[in-house]
Amino acid sequence: MEYLAIQMSVLLGGAIVVGGLVGWWVARFIYHQAATACRIELAGLRRNYEDSARENVNVRNTIRQLEGVLRKIGTPPSDTEYGQFLQVRKTLEKTRLQYQSLLDKCHQQQQVLGNLTAELQGNKQELAALQAALSQQQGVITTSSSVPLREDTFSAANRDDLTRIQGINPRVASKLQALGIVTYRQVAEFTSDDLYSIQRVLGAELSSVPEGWVQSAHSLFQQQSPPLQA
């Protein structure tokens, strides 16, 4: 019986020792976990403190700058600064007026350009119509004249000075030559229809039908032709 009690005592003592060791190990583990968490939290608090300190410094610097600005704003400007301000204001107003004037001129130029463009289109159409009419009139003159009116059929030696015909100036003579009329004989053989056609083709160059051309050209042609021998 005593032996059993001794065994129970030994077992109970061993259990107490083992339990104490396990408890000590568990307590130490919990202590390390808590210490690690505390160190981590302490490091975070230190970082927060440092960030707050830097932010506090920045806020103080900003406050100082704002105080300087407020002091500068509260100080009345000197005469020199006020004069410079007025000068800048006048320059700005002058520049604004110049810009507005240039903008108005630009709008006017755009309107004028639009009108000129429309007028140019109208002139092009009118020119095309006049060219078509001129081609038709040239065809009428060429077919109605008894002498061929092709300019390339006459050499420079066979051409006559059309300005000697009464009523023909150099400008009209140049236009007649462009139509293939280069000799006195061609002008002398003009019919009334030919003269009216010439007037329509030349337009503003002739205010009336050149009826005197035929007689003058006929006289010059007779002077040019040699007399017949008996």
Side-chain angles (χ1 to χ4, degrees):
M1 195 67 183
E2 293 178 358
Y3 178 75
L4 181 61
I6 293 171
Q7 288 182 344
M8 292 294 293
S9 299
V10 171
L11 292 174
L12 182 61
I16 292 173
V17 172
V18 171
L21 292 175
V22 171
W24 176 81
W25 183 84
V26 171
R28 186 175 179 82
F29 177 76
I30 294 173
Y31 168 78
H32 283 294
Q33 292 291 332
T36 302
C38 289
R39 283 195 294 270
I40 293 174
E41 185 176 359
L42 180 61
L45 291 174
R46 286 179 179 176
R47 287 195 298 270
N48 292 335
Y49 172 78
E50 291 174 357
D51 294 339
S52 299
R54 285 193 296 269
E55 185 176 358
N56 187 18
V57 172
N58 293 332
V59 170
R60 288 184 179 181
N61 292 332
T62 304
I63 292 174
R64 291 193 191 96
Q65 293 176 0
L66 292 176
E67 288 177 350
V69 172
L70 290 175
R71 284 194 299 270
K72 187 175 181 180
I73 294 174
T75 304
S78 61
D79 295 338
T80 303
E81 293 177 348
Y82 186 69
Q84 292 177 353
F85 169 74
L86 292 178
Q87 186 66 28
V88 171
R89 184 176 179 180
K90 290 180 180 179
T91 304
L92 180 62
E93 184 66 20
K94 183 178 179 181
T95 304
R96 187 185 67 80
L97 293 176
Q98 290 178 350
Y99 169 76
Q100 187 64 35
S101 178
L102 291 175
L103 186 62
D104 294 339
K105 289 182 179 179
C106 181
H107 291 162
Q108 294 176 0
Q109 292 295 333
Q110 288 179 350
Q111 294 178 357
V112 172
L113 181 60
N115 296 333
L116 291 176
T117 302
E119 185 177 356
L120 179 60
Q121 294 295 332
N123 289 336
K124 286 182 177 179
Q125 295 177 359
E126 184 178 356
L127 179 60
L130 290 175
Q131 288 178 347
L134 178 61
S135 299
Q136 293 177 359
Q137 295 299 332
Q138 287 179 350
V140 172
I141 294 174
T142 303
T143 56
S144 63
S145 178
S146 59
V147 180
L149 299 184
R150 291 180 56 85
E151 185 179 357
D152 54 2
T153 59
F154 299 93
S155 63
N158 293 331
R159 296 184 181 184
D160 297 329
D161 185 7
L162 299 182
T163 58
R164 295 182 60 187
I165 298 175
Q166 185 178 0
I168 296 180
N169 54 33
R171 188 171 181 178
V172 174
S174 177
K175 291 190 176 183
L176 290 174
Q177 291 174 356
L179 295 175
I181 303 170
V182 296
T183 64
Y184 298 143
R185 179 179 176 180
Q186 289 176 285
V187 180
E189 293 178 352
F190 276 169
T191 63
S192 298
D193 293 337
D194 293 337
L195 293 175
Y196 279 108
S197 298
I198 288 292
Q199 184 189 16
R200 287 196 299 271
V201 172
L202 296 183
E205 298 293 336
L206 297 176
S207 58
S208 61
V209 179
E211 296 178 351
W213 287 6
V214 176
Q215 291 81 3
S216 180
H218 185 71
S219 299
L220 291 171
F221 179 67
Q222 286 181 344
Q223 294 175 10
Q224 188 183 52
S225 300
L228 297 177
Q229 297 179 358

